[in-house]
Amino acid sequence: MRPATVISTLSGNLSEENIVDGITSFLARDDVYSEDFASTIVIQMPTGIAQESPLDLSSFEQYNLKNSWLEYSIAMPTENLLPSGPYFIHDNGIYEAWRLYPDELDTFEFAVVPQDTKGPASVKDKFKLAGIKTTMTNRAFTELYPAELETAEYVETLLGLGAIIVGKSKMCSFAAGENPGDWIDSHCPVNPRGDQYQSPGSSTAGGGAALAGYPWLDYSIGTDNSLHDLVRDTTNLKESKTLPIRILYPKEFFPVANHNQQNLLENYICVLENHLKTSRIEFSLVERWARCPPEEAEGKSLNDYLGNSSCLTNGMSNTQGWNRDKGASLTVEDRNAGKARLGVFRQWFHENVLKQNPDSLSDSILVLPEGKAVPEYRDDAV
């Protein structure tokens, strides 16, 4: 097996400088590439195009090519040209080169073979990927259901925008909000911060730990099951044409008790204000609801109307005794009623808080604090 660099060009005037610039660019931006791949250069041109002048190999001494240079000139239809980059030549085939990274923080359920070479991303293992099992980080669920037949629309949109999926990250079983000691079917990921014995968080623990600990990962797609769970699916993901014009600062959540945490949040919000050229709007969800409640609320306050609706619709992990006991006391009617109340709230939220905008997804950004800025050791009893 021989490492090689593919250089694809649509013209016949490829120069030594073009090849050197390509190699230099790969070394600077491609974490797969190394000088070993420059030992063989594969030049691709469309059928009917030929190199106009021979190449001077002396230009490549800095890449140790003087004694190991091999040139393959391949002509093929334009639409079949391989993307320029690192490959391996074996027998009569040429194969893309992928770099393997150790998952030292135990953040992934498993890796998947990427389909492109743009921004690497992980997705939480509750999103469907065609041909891949969705495990929900639960052994029983994994055994019961086959591989997915389709990819989640959200992930399809991400792929269309240039993301590549390198693996499915761990989550609490059924995203039920487990503490590290509750993880049974899979080992809880390691938080790379501090002494590495802090809790990695809750539902999207794998995605958060991977993004914080692995410099080769650009994005990590997760979900949240607190207030965000009540308002999920607020918009369809697509490319935004304009920026939101409002920053909503809910008084129910701010300021937080920890002054250091509040200062960090303030710094972030100031950066956001400067970027959007707007100022935050302090408002209250409870007061907004009281001023324009939906008819279905029948005069009830926001807290009274929602009650424990979110808990009624969440999945229950078989490792959480308290959660299982609570679920045993609920009926199908209870769950359906809770689901209906959440639906009413979501529609109200879309119409009165994060209003949808065809150019910017939403006309507003709602900022919320996450977690508490205090040590939380993974072996603490909660």
Side-chain angles (χ1 to χ4, degrees):
M1 184 175 293
R2 179 189 293 272
T5 299
V6 168
I7 302 292
S8 295
T9 178
L10 298 179
S11 66
N13 59 354
L14 186 68
S15 68
E16 295 86 353
E17 184 179 1
N18 296 148
I19 297 177
V20 171
D21 287 346
I23 293 173
T24 302
S25 176
F26 294 143
L27 287 169
R29 63 182 176 84
D30 191 331
D31 60 357
V32 175
Y33 200 84
S34 69
E35 290 187 1
D36 292 333
F37 287 99
S39 61
T40 298
I41 306 296
V42 178
I43 299 174
Q44 283 191 122
M45 297 179 181
T47 302
I49 301 295
Q51 176 67 18
E52 296 176 0
S53 58
L55 297 169
D56 180 7
L57 306 188
S58 64
S59 302
F60 301 95
E61 288 190 28
Q62 60 177 307
Y63 298 110
N64 301 318
L65 298 180
K66 189 173 182 180
N67 298 320
S68 58
W69 169 265
L70 287 175
E71 179 183 338
Y72 295 79
S73 182
I74 301 177
M76 61 179 61
T78 302
E79 63 271 17
N80 293 335
L81 292 179
L82 294 172
S84 298
Y87 290 81
F88 286 102
I89 297 173
H90 181 63
D91 292 336
N92 294 322
I94 186 166
Y95 305 90
E96 287 183 284
W98 297 101
R99 181 170 178 174
L100 298 179
Y101 287 96
D103 184 17
E104 297 168 341
L105 302 174
D106 207 6
T107 61
F108 285 87
E109 282 292 338
F110 47 80
V112 297
V113 177
Q115 300 300 312
D116 206 340
T117 55
K118 297 179 183 178
S122 70
V123 294
K124 188 174 182 176
D125 198 16
K126 66 186 295 186
F127 290 99
K128 293 181 179 180
L129 283 178
I132 304 294
K133 278 198 172 190
T134 299
T135 76
M136 301 292 281
T137 311
N138 182 276
R139 186 171 58 189
F141 188 91
T142 305
E143 294 175 352
L144 184 61
Y145 292 99
E148 301 292 351
L149 299 177
E150 58 184 4
T151 296
E153 182 180 357
Y154 186 91
V155 178
E156 286 280 15
T157 305
L158 290 173
L159 294 171
L161 294 174
I164 62 168
I165 308 303
V166 298
K168 302 194 78 175
S169 60
K170 291 182 178 180
M171 54 184 265
C172 297
S173 183
F174 293 117
E178 295 170 324
N179 296 306
D182 296 325
W183 288 60
I184 300 299
D185 287 348
S186 185
H187 186 265
C188 181
V190 175
N191 184 341
R193 303 300 193 195
D195 59 4
Q196 296 194 358
Y197 280 94
Q198 301 297 312
S199 170
S202 188
S203 176
T204 314
L211 192 61
Y214 298 147
W216 47 266
L217 188 67
D218 292 339
Y219 308 98
S220 191
I221 311 305
T223 60
D224 187 60
N225 294 331
S226 54
L227 175 66
H228 313 288
D229 182 64
L230 299 178
V231 300
R232 65 178 183 265
D233 301 328
T234 52
T235 56
N236 292 320
L237 182 69
K238 60 180 180 180
E239 289 187 274
S240 299
K241 300 176 183 177
T242 60
L243 296 173
I245 58 175
R246 300 188 301 164
I247 300 172
L248 302 180
Y249 186 86
K251 294 187 289 186
E252 286 86 358
F253 295 89
F254 292 103
V256 298
N258 186 294
H259 295 300
N260 292 330
Q261 183 180 10
Q262 180 64 26
N263 289 337
L264 289 173
L265 293 167
E266 283 294 321
N267 291 338
Y268 168 76
I269 295 172
C270 287
V271 170
L272 192 59
E273 289 176 324
N274 291 332
H275 179 67
L276 297 179
K277 296 179 174 57
T278 188
S279 299
R280 78 195 74 178
I281 299 173
E282 294 191 11
F283 86 111
S284 166
L285 280 168
V286 172
E287 293 172 3
R288 181 76 57 86
W289 176 279
R291 287 200 304 270
C292 53
E295 292 183 4
E296 294 87 344
E298 298 179 341
K300 293 181 180 178
S301 68
L302 176 60
N303 291 333
D304 289 341
Y305 180 72
L306 284 180
N308 62 345
S309 300
S310 180
C311 296
L312 296 178
T313 59
N314 280 339
M316 301 291 183
S317 168
N318 60 353
T319 64
Q320 293 179 311
W322 63 271
N323 221 346
R324 185 176 62 249
D325 294 342
K326 180 176 65 176
S329 65
L330 300 176
T331 65
V332 174
E333 290 75 18
D334 291 332
R335 186 184 189 283
N336 291 341
K339 189 174 182 179
R341 291 198 296 273
L342 287 180
V344 170
F345 175 80
R346 290 193 187 106
Q347 182 175 350
W348 173 87
F349 190 87
H350 296 165
E351 296 172 351
N352 295 277
V353 183
L354 288 185
K355 299 178 182 179
Q356 295 191 22
N357 182 304
D359 293 326
S360 62
L361 303 184
S362 172
D363 65 354
S364 304
I365 291 177
L366 177 67
V367 292
L368 294 172
E370 183 67 30
K372 299 178 180 179
V374 294
E376 185 179 334
Y377 285 94
R378 57 188 295 134
D379 59 347
D380 284 348
V382 179

